Amino acid sequence: RAAEWQLDQPAWSGRLRITARGSTAFIRLEDKTSGELFAQAPVEQFPGIAVESVTDSSRYFVIRVEDENGRRAFIGVGFVDRGDAFDFNVALQDHFKWVKQQSELARQDPDQGPKLDLGFKEGQTIKLNIANMKKKEGAPGNPRPRPAGPGGLTLLPPPPGGRDGGERPPCPPGPARLPGTPITDSVLSWPQPSAPAAPAAPAADAWGDFAKASG
C-alpha cells in the first residue's frame, strides 16, 4: 500500500526512462539534471515480479532494481501526475506486445504456406492480341513512300549545301547528249520556227580572212 510510505519525504526524486535491448526492457531512474543513473530495473516479463502496482493507487508501483553485481532490492516509485503513470504502463505493454509478435513470426515456417505454381500445364497456351500494334516508319516490310516525278520516275531530294539555300526543281528525264552534238528535232519535242535558213557561205569565203593574213 502506498499509504504506508513516507510520500511527503521521498528518499530520492528524478526522472524515469524506459529503454529496451532485445526482448528486455529497462526502467532507469536518472538524475533529472545530469542524467546520472541512480538505479535500474530490468524487466523480462510484464506483468511480473519486476513491476507491480500497489493496491491503493494507480500512480505508485513497486519495482525490483538490480546492480552490476546482481544484487536486487524492491523499492517503491510514484508519479506526481496520473498521466505519467498511464504512459509508464502503456510503454511497458507496447514493448512486450512487440516481443510477442516477434516470437510468433519466428515460429512460423515459411514452407508451410501455400505455394504459387506459375508453370504452364500440359497443352496450355497463351493468346496475345497484337492487332493494335503499328509498324515503325522505315521498318522492314513497310517501305517509306517517296514522291513520284513525271513519267512515273522517283525523284530524290536535292543534295544539301546549295549556294542559294533553296531547292532546285528536278530536270525532266531525256536522252543524254554528247559534247558538240547538235540538237535536232528528234530530241526536242517542241516545233522549230518555219523561217527559211540562210544559204551557207562557200568554204573559200569562210577562210578568206585567214588566207590574206601573213604567215
Side-chain angles (χ1 to χ4, degrees):
R1 291 175 56 87
E4 300 175 358
W5 302 346
Q6 297 178 0
L7 300 180
D8 55 341
Q9 296 178 356
W12 179 89
S13 64
R15 69 182 182 188
L16 184 147
R17 288 199 308 144
I18 297 179
T19 61
R21 184 170 64 244
S23 59
T24 304
F26 295 89
I27 302 174
R28 295 174 56 89
L29 304 177
E30 302 174 346
D31 186 270
K32 58 183 177 181
T33 304
S34 63
E36 183 181 0
L37 180 65
F38 172 76
Q40 179 173 264
V43 183
E44 298 179 353
Q45 184 180 357
F46 183 78
I49 193 174
V51 181
E52 294 181 287
S53 301
V54 298
T55 58
D56 58 344
S57 177
S58 61
R59 297 187 291 117
Y60 294 89
F61 304 86
V62 176
I63 64 175
R64 185 181 64 182
V65 297
E66 183 177 343
D67 62 7
E68 297 178 355
N69 298 325
R71 293 181 301 179
R72 298 175 178 176
F74 291 91
I75 63 174
V77 295
F79 296 91
V80 177
D81 185 65
R82 194 175 303 275
D84 293 337
F86 177 79
D87 294 341
F88 173 76
N89 263 316
V90 171
L92 291 174
Q93 291 173 3
D94 288 346
H95 170 73
F96 287 99
K97 185 183 298 183
W98 172 82
V99 172
K100 183 179 180 181
Q101 292 176 351
Q102 294 300 315
S103 61
E104 291 177 354
L105 291 176
R107 287 196 299 265
Q108 291 181 359
D109 189 0
D111 297 334
Q112 294 179 357
K115 295 183 179 180
L116 218 49
D117 186 10
L118 302 179
F120 284 97
K121 305 299 186 296
E122 184 177 358
Q124 186 178 3
T125 59
I126 290 181
K127 182 179 180 181
L128 299 178
N129 185 10
I130 57 175
N132 296 328
M133 295 179 62
K134 297 182 179 179
K135 294 184 177 180
K136 294 183 178 180
E137 185 177 358
N142 187 18
R144 185 177 180 178
R146 296 180 178 178
L153 298 178
T154 301
L155 301 180
L156 297 177
R163 294 182 179 178
D164 54 359
E167 297 183 357
R168 298 182 180 179
C171 298
R177 183 170 64 91
L178 298 177
T181 305
I183 300 177
T184 60
D185 293 340
S186 61
V187 176
L188 301 179
S189 59
W190 54 81
Q192 297 294 322
S194 57
D205 295 338
W207 295 94
D209 294 339
F210 292 97
K212 296 176 181 180
S214 60

